[in-house]
Structures are given as structure tokens and as C-alpha cells.
Amino acid sequence: TKSNEDIHSIRKNINYFINKYYEINNQGPENEVDFNYSLNYKKTFAKEGEELTVDGLYSTNKIITKNSNSQQLFGPTYFKIEDLWNNMEVTNKNLLGSFQINFANPLKQTGSKYEIGFQSIIRNSQNYFDYYRYQFYSNEWINDTSKSNRFIFDQKTYALYALYAGTFKEFKYQAGLRLEQTFSKSLQEATMMAYTNNYLNLFPSFHLTKQLDKRMTFQFGYSRRINRPDKSSLNPFIDYTNPQNLHYGNQKLKPEFNNNFDLELMNRWAKTTFIPGVFYRTVKDDIRQIIQSDSNGVIHTTFDNIASGKSYGLEMILEQKVSKRIQVTGNFSYFKTVFSRNIKFLLRIFYIFN
């Protein structure tokens, strides 16, 4: 694929007179190669519902982007001050491997069922960013090592889990527990900045259902989840693709944890389904994008764990079947979110950009 982007940027002083005017043109091709392999095995036993499954996945991805950047800087009277030519070649190599073994066994005596299993997920990413600037007086392209980048990210996650589903009087329930160990490390070769983050966590879940009558069902659910930062939000090296809008990650980002509580009342008629519900959710180490401007008017975009908080509200879902092939769905949500700020983070941002 090919891309072309023209950017015009105006910098004004406090009296609104133009100090600087930028014209930036980005263009270049992108090539991508993907390979995916999967293995699936399933063994059934004499007892109905008892089974053993094994699943494996191996996937590689390689993206090469070549970008030519020309930047022209003009003064207040549109007199050309500076002319910059840059070439950037970005290579991203990604590997994803996963393996899972799961055993499910129904217990006919009690009408319940349990599952146990093991899962491993391996991610490896290598980012190569080569920055070249044109040297007019010698008529040659020079590799600017101060803006070139080598970033390697490796993450391995191993998990043991168990799930039990059954009934108690008029209730159906399902309880689960997942023990997860993550080994994460990253290396910024240009600055030899290495960072390791290993963590062990428990993720419980619980779901409860009761059939109140022929059309009405009560449902309650709780789960703890994790949102891990991706490689782009971890890479601390500055992306100079657009010199007036710099992007860089935060190598010390921590994962974000969520606790979710949901309560629903499902109503079903012949052609209509109506689901009102309420929810309560908490978040710890919320990952947010931070955008700041420095004294030269350049925009800096990065990421940080800025806060912890909670949100609560109500949701409504309405599904209406119009015909055999047409179904209309509408939803409504009202909620309130409250965050507790990370004062240390705010002071650090103020110090860096002011």
C-alpha cells in the first residue's frame, strides 16, 4: 500500500502574528507479510460431554514502511528559513505463539460440570527505525543514529485455570479462577535502556442466573480483567515521522486492572427482547494517552498510568425482530466515572513541559 500526507502547521505569538509556518509532506509504500499456523486436537470419551482439547497457534507478521518526509520552514513574511529532507525506514517483526490444553468433565450425579486447563501465550516484537537526513552541502543521505531506533519487546504468560458450573435450588451458577504469571522485558538498544516487569495475578469470575418465569431471567456477573500495554505504548524512543507531532511510549507502563460487576434482567417475548441492567466497575493504574505542547509549539504524545477510579450506571438494550431477516437493535447507557488523580504523575508532567 502507498500513503501520502500533507501537513500545514502555523505557529503564532501571543499577539497572533505568524512566527513560523511549516509545510510537511509524508509519502511512502508499505509492505506486509503474514504467516499463520494452527493445530487443533480433540479427544472424546465414553461419557457424553467429557473431552480433552489441545490447541496451538503460531503466527508471524512483518511490516516494512518506507517514508519520505520533506519539511519547509517559513518565517513571518513567508521567507523560507529551512528546508529539511528525511527518509525513514520502519521494520516491524511480530511473533505470536499460544498453546492451550483443556479438560472438561460433566458430573451427571449432580448435574454440574468442571473444566481445568493450562494456557501459554508468547509475544515477541522487534521494531527497527532507521532515520536518514539529506545533507545538502555534500549531496548525500546520512544515517542519523540519534534518531534511529531498535526496540525489542518480549512477553510470556503462563496460566492455570479451573471452572465449575452447577445448580443450587432455582439458581444456575458458574465460578472460575485463573492463576496467571507474566514475564515481560523490553530493551531499547539505542540507549541500552532495559526494563523487566514480572507479575503474578489471580483472576476470579462468578456468574449467577435465575429463571423468574417463562419470559424473565435474572443475571448477575463479576469478573476481574487485565489490560496490558502494547508495544507501541511501551517503546520510549521518539517517532520523528511528523517533526511537529512527536510520539513515544513509556517503557515503565504497568498493566491496567478492572473489576466488573453487572446485574441484568432479561425479558423475552415472541419478537422482542428487552434487557435493563446496572453496573459498577473499578480500574487501577488506568492507561491514558497524554498530549502536551512544549515551548516551541511541538506536540508530544505519550502514555502513562495516571489514575485509579470507578464508574457506575445503567444500560438498556432493546432488540426487535421485524422479519425473518431483519432485526433492529438499540441501546442506551448512562454512567458516571470518578478518577483519583496520580499527583506524582501530574507534577512530573508539569516539570518536563514547563
Side-chain angles (χ1 to χ4, degrees):
T1 59
K2 292 184 178 181
S3 62
N4 188 72
E5 179 184 25
D6 289 302
I7 301 172
H8 301 272
S9 178
I10 298 176
R11 302 286 184 244
K12 298 181 180 180
N13 62 16
I14 194 169
N15 296 315
Y16 297 97
F17 291 105
I18 295 176
N19 282 338
K20 296 178 182 179
Y21 174 72
Y22 298 88
E23 288 186 356
I24 303 172
N25 176 264
N26 292 318
Q27 56 181 336
E30 180 179 291
N31 299 310
E32 183 173 356
V33 179
D34 300 286
F35 292 98
N36 297 282
Y37 308 91
S38 62
L39 173 66
N40 307 98
Y41 171 79
K42 181 178 180 180
K43 177 177 175 58
T44 57
F45 298 89
K47 183 167 59 175
E48 183 180 359
E50 183 180 6
E51 61 182 33
L52 175 71
T53 58
V54 180
D55 299 286
L57 172 68
Y58 182 82
S59 173
T60 61
N61 169 269
K62 184 178 181 180
I63 303 175
I64 299 177
T65 304
K66 295 182 179 181
N67 189 51
S68 297
N69 175 290
S70 61
Q71 176 179 343
Q72 295 177 314
L73 172 61
F74 299 86
T77 60
Y78 291 96
F79 173 76
K80 185 183 291 187
I81 299 175
E82 192 175 25
D83 200 346
L84 299 175
W85 294 356
N86 305 306
N87 277 339
M88 287 150 281
E89 183 172 321
V90 183
T91 301
N92 287 298
K93 298 179 180 179
N94 303 296
L95 181 148
L96 172 63
S98 67
F99 174 80
Q100 182 173 4
I101 181 168
N102 185 84
F103 177 70
N105 185 26
L107 305 175
K108 293 185 177 180
Q109 298 85 348
T110 59
S112 56
K113 177 183 179 180
Y114 73 86
E115 292 186 28
I116 55 174
F118 168 81
Q119 184 181 39
S120 66
I121 301 175
I122 297 174
R123 292 183 173 90
N124 181 273
S125 298
Q126 300 179 38
N127 175 271
Y128 303 92
F129 185 95
D130 291 304
Y131 186 95
Y132 300 88
R133 56 182 174 83
Y134 188 72
Q135 197 164 268
F136 287 91
Y137 68 86
S138 61
N139 195 30
E140 62 179 334
W141 290 96
I142 304 298
N143 186 356
D144 190 342
T145 56
S146 66
K147 295 182 179 180
S148 296
N149 167 30
R150 301 288 187 274
F151 183 69
I152 300 173
F153 174 67
D154 186 77
Q155 181 178 274
K156 298 179 177 66
T157 302
Y158 305 99
L160 291 170
Y161 62 88
L163 182 71
Y164 187 85
T167 59
F168 178 74
K169 295 184 178 180
E170 298 178 351
F171 291 91
K172 294 181 180 180
Y173 64 89
Q174 178 178 289
L177 186 63
R178 181 182 178 94
L179 176 65
E180 197 171 89
Q181 173 69 59
T182 298
F183 301 95
S184 175
K185 60 182 179 180
S186 58
L187 173 65
Q188 175 52 256
E189 290 187 356
T191 58
M192 294 307 296
M193 183 187 299
Y195 185 72
T196 300
N197 188 17
N198 302 328
Y199 44 93
L200 177 69
N201 293 105
L202 276 173
F203 296 94
S205 63
F206 181 75
H207 299 277
L208 186 68
T209 303
K210 182 180 180 181
Q211 190 76 35
L212 300 178
D213 56 35
K214 292 182 178 180
R215 65 173 182 84
M216 190 179 299
T217 304
F218 163 84
Q219 296 178 334
F220 169 79
Y222 163 75
S223 63
R224 185 173 190 250
R225 299 177 183 176
I226 184 172
N227 177 30
R228 295 182 177 85
D230 59 21
K231 61 175 184 177
S232 61
S233 58
L234 289 169
N235 189 347
F237 210 83
I238 299 174
D239 182 355
Y240 291 94
T241 303
N242 180 353
Q244 301 306 311
N245 195 345
L246 304 180
H247 292 256
Y248 48 93
N250 180 355
Q251 204 168 0
K252 296 183 179 181
L253 268 184
K254 295 182 288 186
E256 174 186 301
F257 293 94
N258 298 273
N259 288 288
N260 304 314
F261 300 84
D262 296 278
L263 189 65
E264 296 179 344
L265 190 63
M266 181 180 293
N267 299 271
R268 291 183 180 274
W269 292 273
K271 296 183 178 181
T272 306
T273 301
F274 177 59
I275 309 174
V278 295
F279 63 86
Y280 176 79
R281 292 162 189 162
T282 65
V283 58
K284 180 182 178 183
D285 295 323
D286 186 41
I287 299 174
R288 292 283 173 161
Q289 189 178 68
I290 309 301
I291 302 175
Q292 297 282 338
S293 176
D294 64 20
S295 58
N296 295 318
V298 177
I299 303 300
H300 295 250
T301 302
T302 187
F303 300 86
D304 213 319
N305 302 101
I306 66 168
S308 296
K310 60 184 178 181
S311 61
Y312 50 90
L314 59 91
E315 293 178 323
M316 296 184 184
I317 300 174
L318 179 64
E319 298 177 353
Q320 181 65 47
K321 190 173 183 181
V322 180
S323 65
K324 291 183 179 180
R325 297 183 178 181
I326 300 176
Q327 179 175 295
V328 179
T329 302
N331 61 77
F332 169 81
S333 180
Y334 176 81
F335 62 93
K336 181 178 181 179
T337 302
V338 180
F339 283 108
S340 58
R341 294 184 177 181
N342 187 334
I343 301 300
K344 292 182 179 179
F345 166 79
L346 294 177
L347 291 176
R348 179 160 59 85
I349 288 295
F350 181 82
Y351 175 78
I352 290 174
F353 292 103
N354 294 277

